[in-house]
């Protein structure tokens, strides 16, 4: 601090508040805008003025550490950092905790219902809902209903069945009646069978599966139906000399024309036999079979089943050739 010497006033005074030097021509420090200590306390004792300023409270800003040139003390650093930390923590709590709760509360609020509008007739009308908030129509596909499953009758345990024949022929040598039998599956199961004929004039069938020829020759289909709707069929051919007169066991015909006792027959198991006969001649016929792996034939016309399949028997007599189809189904 410059002091007066030999009665002359110093040209520069150091401010006791901010520590800056300024000219004595200023009544106050131009840096801190405080009145120079010399003005109040004289140029000879500026330090006393600084201490008095501190005691009187005019140097309060200096105690706060906000003056230029004052060093950063630990207390000053703490006093500056702590408020900043508190402010930052408050902002973080508002952003991360309070704002989500406020937004969630707004989302959970039920939509406002339009207030009813009363017309002059006293009938309430509601404000129409905007098209963008209208409830969408139900576009779900209609439910599909499955086809009803067949009803299984009470007492039926069978899941299927077979017939002992798929086809046969009735004629004068192989007359009726012929009984069709049923084998239920699985073994030991039971069921109820209903029998029908597609042409009862050719052949009829009773409730026991017994087939009887009718009043005309031809073919008909016998259908066996189980209680759950499962069916099996058998083809019946009738070839009688006099269809409406009943069966005949005669080995000759009144007209004397050549014919075989069967033109088509079925064997149900290996080793089963059937003898073919020729009517209308006393000559000895010659027999031949097409496929010996299916069936064989002897000199007297006896056919024996060998394996599954179909074959043809040929009979030659009196210069004529007769044929019969043999079916082995087992």
């Amino acid at each position: 601090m410059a002091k007066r010497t030999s009665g002359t006033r110093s040209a520069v005074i150091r401010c006791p508040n901010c520590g800056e030097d300024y000219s004595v021509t200023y009544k106050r420090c131009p840096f801190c805008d405080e009145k120079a200590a010399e003005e109040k306390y004289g140029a000879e004792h500026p330090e006393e003025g600084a201490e008095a300023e501190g005691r009187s409270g005019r140097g309060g800003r200096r105690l706060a550490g906000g003056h230029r040139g004052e060093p950063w003390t630990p207390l000053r650093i703490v006093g500056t950092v702590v408020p900043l930390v508190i402010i930052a923590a408050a902002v973080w709590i508002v952003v991360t905790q309070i704002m989500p709760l406020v937004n969630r509360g707004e989302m959970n609020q039920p939509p406002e219902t339009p207030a009813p509008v009363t017309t002059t007739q006293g009938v309430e009308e509601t404000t129409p809902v905007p098209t963008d908030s209208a409830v969408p129509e139900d576009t779900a596909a209609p439910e599909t209903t499955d086809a009803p499953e067949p009803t299984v009758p009470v007492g039926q345990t069978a899941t299927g069945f077979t017939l002992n024949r798929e086809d046969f022929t009735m004629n004068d040598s192989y007359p009726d009646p012929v009984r069709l039998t049923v084998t239920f599956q699985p073994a030991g199961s039971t069921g109820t069978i209903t029998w029908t004929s597609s042409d009862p004039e050719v052949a009829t069938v009773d409730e026991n599966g017994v087939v009887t020829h009718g009043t005309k020759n031809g073919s008909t289909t016998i259908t066996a139906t189980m209680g759950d709707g499962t069916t099996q069929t058998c083809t019946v051919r009738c070839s009688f000399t006099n269809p409406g007169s009943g069966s005949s066991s005669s080995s000759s015909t009144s007209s004397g024309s050549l014919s075989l006792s069967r033109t088509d027959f079925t064997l149900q198991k290996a080793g089963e036999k059937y003898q073919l006969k020729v009517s209308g001649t006393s000559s000895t016929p010659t027999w031949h079979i097409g496929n010996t792996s299916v069936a064989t034939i002897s000199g007297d016309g006896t056919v024996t089943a060998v394996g599954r399949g179909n074959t043809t028997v040929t009979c030659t007599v009196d210069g004529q050739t007769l044929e019969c189809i043999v079916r082995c189904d087992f």
Side-chain angles (χ1 to χ4, degrees), residues 202-218:
V202 175
T204 60
V205 62
D206 65 12
E207 67 275 8
N208 297 315
V210 177
V211 180
T212 305
H213 82 281
T215 59
K216 69 178 183 179
N217 289 330

Side-chain angles (χ1 to χ4, degrees), residues 115-127:
V117 179
T118 305
T119 62
T120 56
Q121 289 80 11
V123 180
E124 291 187 353
E125 296 181 357
T126 56
T127 305

Side-chain angles (χ1 to χ4, degrees), residues 74-99:
L75 182 60
R76 180 181 178 187
I77 295 173
V78 171
T80 303
V81 173
V82 169
L84 295 177
V85 172
I86 293 174
I87 294 173
V91 172
W92 180 84
I93 292 173
V94 170
V95 173
T96 61
Q97 303 296 326
I98 298 177
M99 291 301 296

